[in-house]
Every structure is written in structure tokens, then in C-alpha cells.
Amino acid sequence: MSIVNNDFLILFGVLLAVVAFLYSSVGHGGASGYLALMAIFAFPVSVMKPSALLLNLFVSGISFFFYYKKDFFKPRLFYPFAITSVPAAFIGGMIPLENSFYKILLGIVLILAALRLFGFFNSKETESTKINIPLAMGIGFGIGLLSGMLGIGGGVILSPIILLLGWATLKETAAISSLFILVNSIAGLSGYFMGDKTFPTESFYLVPIAVFGGMLGAYYGSGYFSNKVLKYVLATVILLASVKLIV
């Protein structure tokens, strides 16, 4: 049985490519955007989480590749978060959430994602503060656990935190977030499968679409591309989806 009504399949595919394009341009895998779309198109909860993590693997990996080539990746800023987030994401992936609670929690995270796209957390654009490793490890654990539970990579939460604390520039944050999303998505999917869950095979049909959008977004985003209007449109869609989930 198709996970999307055939009448809306083309529209969903186009929107999926746009989401992948926009998120990869800022170093994100796009899970919050994919989840927002799936919520709007009435995907079952059992399909949303694994599908978002699968698409995250590909798009975040592509995004990291482009940002790494531009020499924006700083390992010393990445490891403190990843050390604790990966095992936490694995544990989170094993935790089943009741549907109504999942939707409310996801709705709150989507609001944060929308605020990020609207530019509420972009005030600091240069590195000004030395990273606090114990604090970073604690942040990594919390984000990793939540990411595994919801089916997101956690970059939408990590990026504004790094920027607000002044630990990295915007481009460096994008590079860190893309790899952070990749490793957490792998851990979250591993935990998901450990819970004896079945994977929706239809999700694999979405991968080429997301990869196409992700490659374009990462290519332009790692250079000089910026399109605030499209990001605002995407943020509005995510806000609508969050209201749909919570209400």
C-alpha cells in the first residue's frame, strides 16, 4: 500500500526535493522538514520516524562532504558533542513513544526548527568563546536522546545552541551539524532496528528525490548561496505542521 495518496505523490516529491535543498544548504539533513511534510500529507507515525532518519543519512552525508571540502569542519568542535550523542541516540531509537505524545514532542521541535529558519538564532556569526567540553558533552547527550526518540538528527537543535554560545561561525556550525546529524541518524536507525521494528520499504523510493535536492543545496550553501524568501516559506510550512501535530 502506498504511503502517499497517488493524487499528491508528485506534489510531495517536489516539496521533498525543496526541503532537502534548503536544509542541506545550511548543513542540515532535513529530518524536521521531512517530518513536517509527512505530517501534512498524513503519513502514519510508524513510517515517519524511520523514513526521516533514512533520508537524513544521505542528505547530511552529502552536506558534510561539501562543507568539508571548503575546509569549514573543525574536529575539536565536533567530538565533544558526538561522544555522548551517538550512544544516547541509539538508546532513544529503541524507545517507542505513544502516538499522541510523539506528535506533541515533535511539534515542539518543529517550532524550534521554524524559528531557526526565520533567523532567530543567527545573531552570532563569528567564533568568540572557547568551547566548554563538559557542557558540550551534556548538550550532546540530551540532543542525541531526543533525536533518536523523534527520528531527527539533532542539527536543528545543535546549531542554534552553538551559535548562541559563540563557539563557531555559521559555516563551521553547518559543517559540525551535518556530521553530527549523520552519526546520530545512524545510531538512531540502529536503535530502531534493535527494537524489532519493521522498515517501510516505500521509504527507499524517497531517497533519490532527497539526494537530488540535497546535492544542489549543499553545493550552493557551502559556497555563497542564500535565499531567505524560500527559507521563510519553508519555516511557515513547518510552523503549520507543528500546529497540526500539537492540536
Side-chain angles (χ1 to χ4, degrees), residues 62 74 91 138 220 224:
I62 292 169
K74 307 298 180 185
I91 295 171
Y220 287 107
Y224 303 99

Side-chain angles (χ1 to χ4, degrees), residues 105-125:
L105 192 57
L106 176 59
I108 294 172
V109 173
L110 290 180
I111 290 175
L112 292 175
L115 292 176
R116 169 75 171 90
L117 288 169
F118 274 128
F120 279 80
F121 306 113
N122 292 341
S123 57
K124 293 188 177 181
E125 298 190 4

Side-chain angles (χ1 to χ4, degrees), residues 62-105:
I62 292 169
S63 184
F64 175 70
F65 172 76
F66 279 97
Y67 275 94
Y68 180 83
K69 284 184 62 178
K70 295 288 186 178
D71 199 31
F72 290 119
F73 179 64
K74 307 298 180 185
R76 63 182 177 82
L77 299 175
F78 169 74
Y79 295 127
F81 297 106
I83 289 172
T84 52
S85 72
V86 171
F90 178 81
I91 295 171
M94 298 175 64
I95 300 175
L97 295 180
E98 195 273 328
N99 283 3
S100 60
F101 180 70
Y102 173 86
K103 289 181 177 181
I104 292 173
L105 192 57

Side-chain angles (χ1 to χ4, degrees), residues 187-227:
L189 270 179
S190 301
Y192 178 83
F193 286 124
M194 287 292 290
D196 295 326
K197 302 291 195 311
T198 58
F199 197 88
T201 56
E202 298 96 330
S203 302
F204 290 100
Y205 298 123
L206 306 177
V207 172
I209 301 173
V211 167
F212 173 74
M215 288 185 68
L216 290 177
Y219 174 77
Y220 287 107
S222 61
Y224 303 99
F225 179 81
S226 177
N227 195 324

Side-chain angles (χ1 to χ4, degrees), residues 129-179:
T129 306
K130 183 178 180 180
I131 186 172
N132 183 318
I133 294 180
L135 177 59
M137 292 177 67
I139 292 171
F141 181 86
I143 295 176
L145 185 64
L146 184 62
S147 299
M149 292 169 62
L150 293 179
I152 62 176
V156 72
I157 306 173
L158 179 65
S159 292
I161 291 177
I162 292 177
L163 292 172
L164 286 171
L165 292 174
W167 288 346
T169 65
L170 287 171
K171 295 287 187 178
E172 290 170 351
T173 298
I176 296 166
S177 296
S178 59
L179 186 57

Side-chain angles (χ1 to χ4, degrees), residues 17-33:
V18 171
V19 168
F21 176 87
L22 292 173
Y23 271 79
S24 64
S25 70
V26 293
H28 288 189
S32 56

